[in-house]
């Protein structure tokens, strides 16, 4: 995310600085070009979107799966929303999950949304603004590991 992620370390800046000298490239300009080259939702199948980058977690007695996809804008989400929610529900049942979420991160704005399926108690405990049923505004959350998973863990702990 061109050094905007909470997972960015000082060594990332050092490596980018060194590489920019070797390659004679402006790191920030190149990073923005890379972000804008990301494929949209409509160019990928629902399986590619959901399973391309997905992790499973045991949170208390709950089996949780969190996927993340990066896009350069949310304009395609309304057309894909129903199919994605259906695919999430399928995985929820097929994999005996308690909760599944798909984090959609706009790499240009640094904003995310999340589509979810699962235990209604978990969904109701989520600390995010609601866009629509099963659709949440994560605002500036971009890291599944450092931001999203802990928030979901806290929501689960609040219902136990």
């Amino acid at each position: 995310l061109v050094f905007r992620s909470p997972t960015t370390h000082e060594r990332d800046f050092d490596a980018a600085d060194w590489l920019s000298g070797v390659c004679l490239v402006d790191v920030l300009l190149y990073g923005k070009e890379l972000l804008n080259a990301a494929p949209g939702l409509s160019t990928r199948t629902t399986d590619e979107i959901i399973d391309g980058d997905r992790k499973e977690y045991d949170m208390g007695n709950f089996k949780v799966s969190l996927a993340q996809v990066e896009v350069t804008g949310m304009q395609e989400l309304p057309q894909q929303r129903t199919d994605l929610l259906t695919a999430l529900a399928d995985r929820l049942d097929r994999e005996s999950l308690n909760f599944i979420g798909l984090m959609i991160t706009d790499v240009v704005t640094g904003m995310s949304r999340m589509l979810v399926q699962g235990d209604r108690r978990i969904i109701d405990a989520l600390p995010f603004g609601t866009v629509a049923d099963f659709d949440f505004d994560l605002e500036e959350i971009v890291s599944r590991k450092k931001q999203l998973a802990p928030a979901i863990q806290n929501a689960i702990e609040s219902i136990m």
Side-chain angles (χ1 to χ4, degrees):
L1 295 177
V2 193
F3 309 112
R4 292 182 297 164
S5 172
T7 60
T8 302
H9 295 281
E10 189 61 37
R11 68 179 180 260
D12 297 321
F13 289 104
D14 294 341
D17 186 48
W18 178 81
L19 285 170
S20 72
V22 171
C23 300
L24 303 175
V25 172
D26 180 300
V27 172
L28 296 179
L29 180 62
Y30 184 68
K32 288 178 184 176
E33 289 174 7
L34 281 175
L35 293 178
N36 286 320
L41 292 177
S42 65
T43 62
R44 302 179 233 186
T45 67
T46 39
D47 288 345
E48 290 170 336
I49 293 168
I50 294 172
D51 299 325
D53 184 10
R54 184 160 65 109
K55 308 274 191 267
E56 285 196 15
Y57 304 86
D58 288 318
M59 296 184 179
N61 296 327
F62 295 97
K63 189 175 172 186
V64 173
S65 182
L66 299 175
Q68 185 171 18
V69 63
E70 295 178 346
V71 296
T72 57
M74 298 288 180
Q75 63 273 11
E76 296 174 334
L77 182 55
Q79 297 89 350
Q80 301 290 328
R81 187 177 176 280
T82 301
D83 290 342
L84 290 169
L85 284 169
T86 300
L88 289 171
D90 175 61
R91 280 158 183 76
L92 183 83
D93 292 337
R94 188 175 65 216
E95 298 174 21
S96 300
L97 300 169
N98 299 101
F99 179 87
I100 186 168
L102 170 62
M103 181 177 177
I104 303 140
T105 301
D106 182 335
V107 295
V108 176
T109 64
M111 306 294 275
S112 297
R113 298 250 305 265
M114 182 173 63
L115 301 178
V116 303
Q117 293 287 357
D119 188 312
R120 193 70 217 189
R121 296 172 300 160
I122 299 171
I123 294 170
D124 290 342
L126 294 175
F128 312 116
T130 303
V131 176
D133 285 340
F134 310 106
D135 188 344
F136 293 88
D137 182 0
L138 303 183
E139 297 182 359
E140 295 178 349
I141 291 177
V142 294
S143 171
R144 175 181 46 206
K145 179 182 177 182
K146 293 207 176 212
Q147 296 173 301
L148 182 61
I152 292 174
Q153 175 76 45
N154 289 340
I156 288 172
E157 288 173 3
S158 77
I159 65 170
M160 295 176 84

